[in-house]
Amino acid sequence: MKHTDNIASYEDLGWIISHSDEGFYALIASSKMQESVVSHYRSGPVAVYDYKEHPDDYRFRDVAVFLEEHPQARTVFLLNMQNALMKPEAVRRLNFSRDMLARTNRNFIFCMTEETFDELNRHAFDFFSFLKLKLRFEDELEETEEKPQTFQIPALPKDLSEGVNPDEGYDPAWPRQRQLTFAIAMMNQAEAMNLKNRYADALQFLEKAIEIREEFLGKNHPETASAYFAKGKTLEKKGKYAEALNLVQKAVDIRENILGKDNPYTVETYNAIGIISRDSGKYDDALKWYQKALDIQERVLGTDHPDTAVTYNNMANAYSRLGQYEEALKCYQKALDIRERVLGTEHPDTAGTYNNIAIVYSDLGQYEEALKWCQKALDVNEHILGTEHSDTAVTYNNMANAYSRLGQYEEALRWYHKALNIKEQVLGTEHPDTATTYNNIALVYYHLGKYEDALKWYHKALNIKERVLGTEHPDTAVTYNNMANAYSRLGQYEEALQWHYKALNIKERVFTEHPEIATTYNNIAVVYSHLGKYEDALKWYQKALNIRERVLGTEHPYTATTYNNIALVYYHLGKYEDALKLYKKALDICERVLGFDHPDTSAIYNNIAKVYGKLGQHEEALKYRLKAKNNTALKN
């Protein structure tokens, strides 16, 4: 007879093979029992790499070659790993190859003895932390052995276009281990739905996983925390930032108490809260969480670890949004130094940092420098990933953005269409990233003065966002805002105001004091200014300024933009002295933060020249016109 303690483990293993798409699992048993167990699962989409047949230390390249030989195998048993992990350097290699194994998107069943498992727990923490489930098998009596039958459970439907039912195939009478394995299946299905941008469906699966884990593990268990975390990340994708923050905070509290503050899963939640805070416009809060993560990573993982580079990257993004571009470049450079040393100059993550640096230079108005960094990223991505990869499309998009800012709109359109071709083929015509490219193409037509063409592309973007993200998502509001700007340029001001107010209703519901709200206040003010309703315009500009000064600070280029816009209203009202004060306030920021040669700085030189002209101070007016002209000549 089979040892009674093995029944649940056999059934769990059968469920994993039938339902899990990817993940790390440990099978802990004697060598003889490992072979007995695996013999029952050799049929089907599995492959077995046996270290008795391949007597060598563990090396990732050996596994990689094996995977290439078995491309259809979704589940791979690495059998008798105790033979491959006898030396400390082999254990270190397994630990270091964790992410490379994970990127193969397979199920790995790591089969080993209890002693080897304990060794990994002590000396391969990075790898060990990725294990989703540990299955233990006791030795069975050979003389009375009854061969176990693989337990077949109906797979969840692959085509879920009709909606989802997390209870399909679920039996509340199942024993505890089966329930928990079903929860893993729910988590995997949720991940699949998230990849398809089907966030509402993903949430249903996650809620089922949470229900099971809360009942069988309790609300303070690390696995329950993982479900809270996954749900929080999904809510973030839906733009539900307050709800997302609440759930991820619950995960933080559990992980800190149970796993400790230095645990990688705890640090993961610190970074996640930082990202949600950033998306909520709380950039200073984001930086505090990133710093918390960084302090631990540098102490525990070291200053040359790829995860440390990720946190530097996140900090750089927050600094960039705060308009602190020099700080952003410092953090990106730290991330780049790590990635070039550890991953090499031909790695996609390194290329990602090149892309991010390019964006900062673009924001600084240094478009030629931005193009150089884009080209570095492009060389890597095309060589490593190919010309049909979504990461390559991101670089095409950034190239287009730089050309657009240079006023080379035809070249920008060419690059945007290259990006679009990839996104439509790889991601599909219903993906939010595809919608973003539609939006970017529309923006080029907007700058070309082809507002009707711009509106056509904005509508294409809007159709996707409303269907996929919903009418209450901040990204949908961005397209409403862009459409309003096009209508404003066409002189259809009432139509423009309607679209701006639609955007504002969403943003004020989703955010509290966010720069995106200030952007809409600013754009509404612009429309009122075009209508000659200058007092109304001033009221809305002041609302925008209040947010920008509090959230972004008085040294941010966006704050300078609002000073400039209020000055323009004073100019139209004939209040030239008031206009001049605010123009110079804006100029002081732009010269310090963006530099003397930035297009925004040049625009303010021109505006100041016009005011001096109205005041009859023609020598001063000429001085500022020459400054603007010299900047234009330098760029040409």
Side-chain angles (χ1 to χ4, degrees), residues 499-518:
W499 285 98
H500 277 317
Y501 280 119
K502 285 183 72 162
L504 184 60
N505 288 337
I506 296 171
K507 292 178 181 180
E508 288 186 328
R509 277 197 296 272
V510 173
F511 304 122
T512 48
E513 278 201 329
H514 194 285
E516 278 295 326
I517 297 177

Side-chain angles (χ1 to χ4, degrees), residues 126-142:
D126 281 356
F127 167 81
F128 196 84
S129 67
F130 259 39
L131 292 175
K132 290 186 175 181
L133 196 65
K134 297 97 178 176
L135 306 174
R136 283 183 166 82
F137 288 86
E138 300 294 333
D139 283 344
E140 297 170 357
L141 299 175
E142 291 184 18

Side-chain angles (χ1 to χ4, degrees), residues 2 24 78 82 122 158 217 245 472 475 489 544 585:
K2 186 194 303 182
F24 288 10
L78 297 182
Q82 67 277 359
R122 288 193 299 270
K158 294 296 183 184
L217 299 175
L245 198 60
E472 296 297 311
D475 286 358
R489 290 286 184 165
K585 201 170 182 180

Side-chain angles (χ1 to χ4, degrees), residues 549-568:
E549 285 185 332
R550 279 197 297 268
V551 176
L552 302 176
T554 56
E555 296 295 304
H556 195 284
Y558 287 175
T559 307
T561 295
T562 309
Y563 292 149
N564 179 86
N565 292 345
I566 293 173
L568 183 60

Side-chain angles (χ1 to χ4, degrees), residues 6-51:
N6 291 342
I7 295 173
S9 294
Y10 273 112
E11 293 173 347
D12 289 344
L13 188 54
W15 183 272
I16 290 165
I17 292 169
S18 299
H19 298 281
S20 177
D21 289 329
E22 58 185 82
F24 288 10
Y25 303 90
L27 191 160
I28 305 157
S30 68
S31 176
K32 184 178 291 186
M33 192 61 200
Q34 291 176 40
E35 294 162 7
S36 174
V37 170
V38 172
S39 69
H40 302 294
Y41 300 98
R42 283 185 179 271
S43 60
V46 304
V48 180
Y49 188 93
D50 190 346
Y51 280 99

Side-chain angles (χ1 to χ4, degrees), residues 392-505:
T392 307
V394 169
T395 309
Y396 291 160
N397 183 87
N398 291 343
M399 297 277 283
N401 181 270
Y403 279 117
S404 180
R405 291 192 175 194
L406 280 167
Q408 298 181 30
Y409 298 121
E410 294 303 325
E411 190 67 11
L413 281 174
R414 184 175 75 84
W415 284 98
Y416 277 137
H417 278 290
K418 282 168 71 80
L420 182 61
N421 289 338
I422 296 173
K423 290 183 178 181
E424 287 184 332
Q425 288 172 24
V426 176
L427 303 176
T429 56
E430 292 293 305
H431 196 282
D433 287 355
T434 306
T436 297
T437 305
Y438 292 155
N439 182 88
N440 292 341
I441 290 171
L443 193 58
V444 175
Y445 283 118
Y446 176 90
H447 287 309
L448 285 167
K450 298 180 178 180
Y451 304 120
E452 296 290 352
D453 289 334
L455 281 170
K456 288 176 187 175
W457 285 94
Y458 282 140
H459 272 292
K460 284 168 71 77
L462 183 61
N463 289 338
I464 296 171
K465 290 183 177 182
E466 287 187 331
R467 278 197 302 271
V468 177
L469 302 177
T471 57
E472 296 297 311
H473 196 283
D475 286 358
T476 306
V478 168
T479 303
Y480 291 157
N481 182 84
N482 291 342
M483 292 180 71
N485 289 339
Y487 280 118
S488 181
R489 290 286 184 165
L490 286 168
Q492 299 180 33
Y493 299 122
E494 294 302 326
E495 186 75 13
L497 283 173
Q498 287 180 28
W499 285 98
H500 277 317
Y501 280 119
K502 285 183 72 162
L504 184 60
N505 288 337

